[in-house]
Amino acid sequence: MASAPHTPASARTSTELQSVLWFDPAKILIDGQWRPCASGHVLPVENPSTGQVMGQIARGDAADIDAAIDAARHAFEGPWGRTPAAERGRILMEMSKLVQQRAEALAMIEALDVGKPLHQSLNDARALARYLEFYAGAADKLMGTTIPYQHGFTVYTLREPHGVAGIIIPWNYPMQILGRGVAAALAAGNTCVVKPAEDASVSTLAVAAIAQEAGLPAGVLNVVTGLGAEAGAALSEHPGLDHLSFTGSVATGQRIQAAAGRNVVPVTLELGGKSPHIVFDDCDLDDAMPTLVGACMQNAGQTCSAASRVLVQRGLYDEVKHRMADMYRGLVAGPAIDGHDLGPLISARQKALVGRYIEWGKAELNLAAEGSIRPDASPDGHFVRATLFSEVPPDHRLAQEEIFGPVQVLIPFEDEADALRIANGTVYGLIAGVWTRDGGRQMRMARQLNVGQVYLNNYGAGGGVELPFGGVGQSGHGREKGFEALYGFTRIKTVTARHG
Ligand code: NAI
Ligand code: MG
């Protein structure tokens, strides 16, 4: 038999992944032990740039979730519950240092597994390090209060961790979302059971391995990989949980909240949006232009806070449209490890979902411009062209529904009232960007926009670990990031002493 003339692509990608891994991704972490899941079943690890299978993760289920919750409970009631806040902070700081040291390996894992262009996955790894650093520093600065009360009483509050926190992570920013959840939960003194997304689990396992190296005691952070309907559902329904955090789709968020409701545990939901840029005639357009496009095209539009609607006042509308269209024509999608503007979407399913919106748009709307796909990109990669539609009616489904792909809509508006009506006219409310030099208008818009974050003459502020983040309406509730996340991961106990 003749030997193969070259290494097949599948073997190449699996070798690339194996060469950066220092742990076995087919194992889950429970009580400090790496083990196969109870059923022994596995799921494929796919490279979205090529469609190739690079390895396997465990397909954990309810049995593994039971074991993980037991371990987390044991750790909470045992050593972790007695660990001083400053020591919790030191361990998180050590994790942060190790994440920084391994940032390039983590970025490569994410580029291969999630399809993120390398510069973006490196940014995610650094953001994870920054979350760990921020919450490391905050751990011993979380305090209760004393409350003036009647004569003869002393009243104070204790800020206590909930206990066992369940954290369900989506595939779009695995490291950042892991960071903002786990770092805050641990800093506040909780223990965690994490269920990463089935198509993007490898970096979470890597971070769990790093946590062990950093000295996090057994059972404090447990990771069970598996399907949403199996491991995810088992985690969200588990009566042993004390708090649940979820980032993902509205439909799954509704199930999660119902499950948390049955167990009467607090839940934080971050469910995406249809966030607007609002561009007024008096803005500094040269300053705004790169952000108008970049804030949606980042991660190929698979971002909860993607600015997928661009509302432009009439006086600037044509100019914005032409300048954005020019930029779109230059946007290239290609394999993540080559660092293009856009990587692939996460899966064939996501590509099909986004493709339907593009078809509806092409049939019913004005196509302003499209980008391209690198001609030699694998036909089995999940690439989608950057696509811009213009003069989109605000009630059109492309202006109302979260697409979660590289698709942006341009909507003209007349005045401030019109802009507000359109901006607030979806079921979502996550973030908004307002571009204007008029200070009074900035303040009015900031007050009246129905969102969790408003950006004036910027958008997203590079992720802003310090900045409380979360939605209103179907974008969810509860706040992550900043100090607010620590309040979410703790509860208040009021102690009232009568001493005469
Ligand atoms: P999803 O919401 O189903 O998945 C997110 C996470 O939830 C994954 O870890 C998944 O395994 C888990 N999950 C799924 N079903 C579950 C269940 N019944 N119980 C517990 N956990 C469960 O999102 P999916 O299907 O991957 O993406 C579909 C759409 O969701 C996207 O097109 C996008 O619009 C939206 N989405 C929004 C995100 C955001 O950042 N807000 C992130 C990911 C998706
Ligand atoms: Mg993958």
Side-chain angles (χ1 to χ4, degrees), residues 44-48 52 54 112-115 198-202 346:
V45 174
E46 190 208 38
N47 180 345
Q52 306 285 353
M54 303 178 289
L112 290 169
D113 187 21
V114 184
E198 46 271 45
D199 15 32
S201 290
V202 183
I346 186 71

Side-chain angles (χ1 to χ4, degrees), residues 108-131:
M108 183 56 88
I109 290 172
E110 212 74 316
L112 290 169
D113 187 21
V114 184
K116 273 179 187 250
L118 262 182
H119 57 277
Q120 293 181 26
S121 56
L122 191 58
N123 181 55
D124 281 11
R126 292 186 177 140
L128 166 62
R130 174 75 188 114
Y131 277 113

Side-chain angles (χ1 to χ4, degrees), residues 277 279 285 288-296 307 310 312 320 324 408 435:
H277 278 296
V279 182
L285 192 55
M289 276 319 298
T291 310
L292 296 189
V293 173
C296 187
V310 182
V312 189
V320 170
M324 281 183 72
Q408 238 175 339
W435 298 85

Side-chain angles (χ1 to χ4, degrees), residues 219-285:
V220 175
L221 172 62
N222 307 275
V223 177
V224 179
T225 55
L227 297 174
E230 297 176 357
L235 178 57
S236 61
E237 289 162 9
H238 204 288
L241 270 190
D242 300 307
H243 187 276
L244 191 52
S245 308
F246 170 78
T247 305
S249 63
V250 174
T252 303
Q254 287 166 335
R255 279 193 210 105
I256 301 271
Q257 176 148 357
R262 283 191 290 277
N263 289 319
V264 197
V265 294
V267 56
T268 298
L269 297 179
E270 201 273 88
L271 308 179
K274 194 72 189 173
S275 298
H277 278 296
I278 305 168
V279 182
F280 285 96
D281 283 349
D282 69 339
C283 79
D284 178 345
L285 192 55

